[in-house]
Amino acid sequence: MSIDKEVSIAVVGAGGVGSCFLQQLAYISKNHPKVRFHLTYVAIIDKALYHKDFSDIDIDTALSTLEASGRPLPTLDVAVDYLASIPRKVVFVDNTSSQGIAEAYPEILRRGISIVTPNKKAFSGTYELWQQIFDASLSTGALVYHESSVGAGMPIISTLKEMVETGDKVLRIEGVFSGTMSYLFNSFAPIAGTGGRWSEEVRRARSLGFTEPDPRDDLNGLDIARKLTILGRLAGLPIASATSFSVQNLIPEELRGTMDTEEFLQKLADHDDKMELLKTEAEAANKVVRFVGSVEVATGTASVGLKWYNRSHPIANLQGSDNIISFYTERYGLKPLIIRGAGAGGHVTAMGVSGDLLKIVSQIV
Amino acid sequence: MSIDKEVSIAVVGAGGVGSCFLQQLAYISKNHPKVRFHLTYVAIIDKALYHKDFSDIDIDTALSTLEASGRPLPTLDVAVDYLASIPRKVVFVDNTSSQGIAEAYPEILRRGISIVTPNKKAFSGTYELWQQIFDASLSTGALVYHESSVGAGMPIISTLKEMVETGDKVLRIEGVFSGTMSYLFNSFAPIAGTGGRWSEEVRRARSLGFTEPDPRDDLNGLDIARKLTILGRLAGLPIASATSFSVQNLIPEELRGTMDTEEFLQKLADHDDKMELLKTEAEAANKVVRFVGSVEVATGTASVGLKWYNRSHPIANLQGSDNIISFYTERYGLKPLIIRGAGAGGHVTAMGVSGDLLKIVSQIV
């Protein structure tokens, strides 16, 4: 089979997602029937690997070579100039969660470089940045895909975009968008049995690695608000930012000051009775409490917070740290399209990224 | 915004899916920022509408014009010659369930014409036809997409293809692939309550339009076997045909002869005790019985039949006529990716077709 296309890949970030992505890129480059992939640039926080003559970096050994003989990281401007001078199509793969890189997306796209990323920052920041990104894409034809910015590798964004582009009317999007919140509420208020005390569940989830090092980074609801911002905008709502709508913060007000994580976890126990009351109130109505996000397209509103569900409802009935996303649309009628599964993790997040890369490669000449 | 591309669309079939597809095509052609869609050919069972000079057919009035002033349907060879002579890229949209058209896919693709279709026949027929189709696509670059051949508009096939192409190992695919079987078993063996007698549930489902006019066309399991054949092949298994693996036929052996539907439904009642026993056996184990299909990739086997599930299992916990498909893969680990929703219906099936059309259009120059 003859090679139809050649494409250069630039990868920034080699953490959990980035290193899994490089493994997948190695697989794809060996198995794609028609495309030759050239890894031309790899960077981590302080180092970069690239060659003045644009020669290939071996994918399998890229990270060890970068570690051993990378140059000091160039400024983003210098890096983008370098990428724009590569004499073939370039895809920039941003596997960081950097705000600075996110803000450079419009310029990167204006230089004709396509982007794939799981980085939520660019799409959940100001609405102005969102517009600049998609305007730049539309004017140069450089593409930008970000499936893994919501629900990791699950087909959430592609599905929503297809609904919108084919003329379905999205009415409501609702779900559990955080593996941490899923795990916490599935344990705290299970559909069968009583569950533990709130602060103990938080402590246990943390020890099992289901929370950020500081659980307050999950409990504040901001990560979920960012995801809803992205979905709401894709559904056509000009959501100003991830802090422009109602987000329930599960960090008690008294504990929002500066204190270390251990002190926070100790003091959180003082609020267990309040959480227990929430749980028993729901139980009295034969329901369970869950922490969900939703976008109501008709009213143009998004919200994040506690809601009650019947035990047989798919949102009540989650397990472990699974995410679930329901799309209520005109075409689907009363029964939503539901997608459920792991919404975090290096391999599945990277799969969303490499799937997006394949979509871009199929479209560029 | 300037037009980047022009594409000709040929549509065959104007039943439930076909007429919804034309509505969606009208929407897409008015709203796509960069592509001009030309409807160049429309055909139904005995008539076709097309112009020697390839001039456009108005999408909104296509069906009434076809009805009023269509020509007699040309042979498929003549139609394909006509389509191949159109001086731009052509996408052939097969909204029929015709075996004859399915068998022409290799030739259509060899002529450089891309295909989108919900028609299962081509992909669940002989393995030789499957190979001819994808070989033709690979050699000419004409594309073939068939999302709606499994699970209507739900992102089943695109998700599975992405897993395979990015190097995930698909281990098992399991689910309820038939809206009819979903409805029947959710009513016959609900997770709460006792459910009705089997033959009465079949009769009721039929009267509500949840079965084919003759329910035996659902109860024989063949439709599910066709879908599993497609998924198994996409997962890499060379499944010979939809009748090459174990398929449980819920039509009692004595009732497989020729008799009309009413006689069948009456005689089915004689078998209610046997079905009731299946239900109570499962209940005694605190489970419910469901009619599922599964593909086990490691052993290369597919099967369709009755299985027991815990009440909290997502497959037990379906509602109405929803389909559910679970992908167990190496990357997703113990918890599968699950997609659930309507697996039939004109609008959602057409959405899979028009979504595929957009994918093709984004890739062809």
Side-chain angles (χ1 to χ4, degrees), chain B residues 306-320:
Chain B
L306 295 167
K307 277 178 83 174
W308 294 0
Y309 292 90
N310 289 324
R311 289 186 155 72
S312 64
H313 193 287
I315 286 181
N317 212 17
L318 272 188
Q319 291 177 330

Side-chain angles (χ1 to χ4, degrees), chain B residues 18-345:
Chain B
S19 55
C20 290
F21 170 77
L22 283 168
Q23 291 170 26
Q24 295 179 21
L25 180 62
Y27 177 89
I28 290 169
S29 76
K30 289 182 187 101
N31 290 281
H32 201 291
K34 296 212 161 191
V35 177
R36 184 162 294 147
F37 294 83
H38 302 272
L39 180 60
T40 313
Y41 181 92
V42 190
I44 51 175
I45 187 96
D46 57 350
K47 284 182 182 176
L49 186 65
Y50 59 103
H51 304 295
K52 289 262 147 82
D53 65 354
F54 314 116
S55 60
D56 285 11
I57 299 163
D58 179 65
I59 300 172
D60 294 320
T61 58
L63 290 185
S64 53
T65 310
L66 172 60
E67 207 51 67
S69 58
R71 320 170 183 212
L73 187 73
T75 65
L76 198 51
D77 283 352
V78 170
V80 173
D81 281 344
Y82 170 79
L83 298 178
S85 69
I86 297 173
R88 59 174 88 92
K89 293 280 184 183
V90 178
V91 182
F92 180 80
V93 183
D94 175 15
N95 286 323
T96 75
S97 56
S98 156
Q99 179 73 37
I101 297 178
E103 284 169 7
Y105 289 178
E107 174 61 15
I108 293 171
L109 293 161
R110 278 193 288 267
R111 302 290 288 272
I113 299 165
S114 293
I115 296 172
V116 300
T117 185
N119 184 351
K120 285 186 279 289
K121 299 277 168 64
F123 311 101
S124 58
T126 65
Y127 193 65
E128 193 189 356
L129 178 58
W130 169 276
Q131 285 179 308
Q132 286 171 352
I133 288 169
F134 292 100
D135 286 352
S137 169
L138 208 54
S139 72
T140 64
L143 300 167
V144 52
Y145 279 77
H146 54 104
E147 183 62 78
S148 287
S149 63
V150 179
M154 296 195 289
I156 305 300
I157 287 179
S158 52
T159 297
L160 176 55
K161 280 168 74 175
E162 186 168 299
M163 288 167 171
V164 171
E165 287 171 4
T166 64
D168 198 2
K169 277 206 174 59
V170 178
L171 307 172
R172 182 154 60 104
I173 304 169
E174 181 183 56
V176 174
F177 292 91
S178 151
T180 308
M181 291 298 196
S182 178
Y183 184 86
L184 281 174
F185 281 88
N186 299 340
S187 313
F188 169 67
I191 51 169
T194 55
R197 301 276 291 174
W198 177 247
S199 66
E200 286 161 18
E201 293 294 353
V202 173
R203 207 178 268 279
R204 189 157 66 95
R206 179 169 181 260
S207 71
L208 292 170
F210 283 120
T211 72
E212 296 292 323
D214 188 332
R216 283 172 290 189
D217 291 337
D218 298 299
L219 295 175
N220 64 18
L222 182 61
D223 177 68
I224 303 171
R226 286 191 177 279
K227 292 170 185 166
L228 283 185
T229 301
I230 297 173
L231 297 179
R233 286 172 176 176
L234 287 171
L237 300 178
I239 296 179
S241 79
T243 53
S244 67
F245 52 90
S246 163
V247 178
Q248 189 170 357
N249 186 340
L250 288 190
I251 308 173
E253 271 198 72
E254 309 89 285
L255 307 185
R256 288 181 200 165
T258 48
M259 62 182 79
D260 68 22
T261 306
E262 188 48 45
E263 188 186 349
F264 166 71
L265 286 168
Q266 276 173 23
K267 289 188 170 164
L268 188 60
D270 300 340
H271 299 264
D272 280 352
D273 286 348
K274 222 166 18 184
M275 288 300 286
E276 204 66 20
L277 189 63
L278 283 175
K279 175 158 69 175
T280 50
E281 277 177 354
E283 273 169 3
N286 204 21
K287 294 180 190 259
V288 292
V289 63
R290 292 289 180 267
F291 195 78
V292 300
S294 63
V295 174
E296 299 282 347
V297 179
T299 57
T301 54
S303 66
V304 176
L306 295 167
K307 277 178 83 174
W308 294 0
Y309 292 90
N310 289 324
R311 289 186 155 72
S312 64
H313 193 287
I315 286 181
N317 212 17
L318 272 188
Q319 291 177 330
S321 62
D322 272 0
N323 288 16
I324 188 167
I325 291 97
S326 310
F327 295 99
Y328 294 81
T329 80
E330 194 172 85
R331 288 183 191 146
Y332 276 98
L334 293 174
K335 299 284 205 49
L337 170 66
I338 300 175
I339 300 176
R340 166 182 165 172

Side-chain angles (χ1 to χ4, degrees), chain A residues 292-360:
Chain A
V292 299
S294 63
V295 174
E296 298 282 347
V297 178
T299 57
T301 53
S303 66
V304 176
L306 296 166
K307 277 178 84 173
W308 294 1
Y309 291 90
N310 289 324
R311 288 186 157 71
S312 63
H313 193 287
I315 286 181
N317 212 16
L318 272 188
Q319 290 177 329
S321 62
D322 272 0
N323 288 16
I324 188 167
I325 292 97
S326 310
F327 295 99
Y328 294 82
T329 80
E330 195 171 85
R331 288 183 191 147
Y332 276 98
L334 292 173
K335 297 285 203 47
L337 170 66
I338 300 175
I339 300 175
R340 165 180 165 173
H347 293 288
V348 291
T349 306
M351 178 153 54
V353 177
S354 48
D356 280 351
L357 172 63
L358 288 176
K359 285 178 192 156
I360 288 186

Side-chain angles (χ1 to χ4, degrees), chain A residues 122-135 229 232-234 236-242 244:
Chain A
F123 310 100
S124 59
T126 67
Y127 192 66
E128 193 190 356
L129 178 59
W130 170 276
Q131 286 179 308
Q132 286 171 352
I133 288 169
F134 291 100
D135 287 352
T229 301
R233 287 173 176 175
L234 288 171
L237 300 178
I239 296 178
S241 78
S244 67

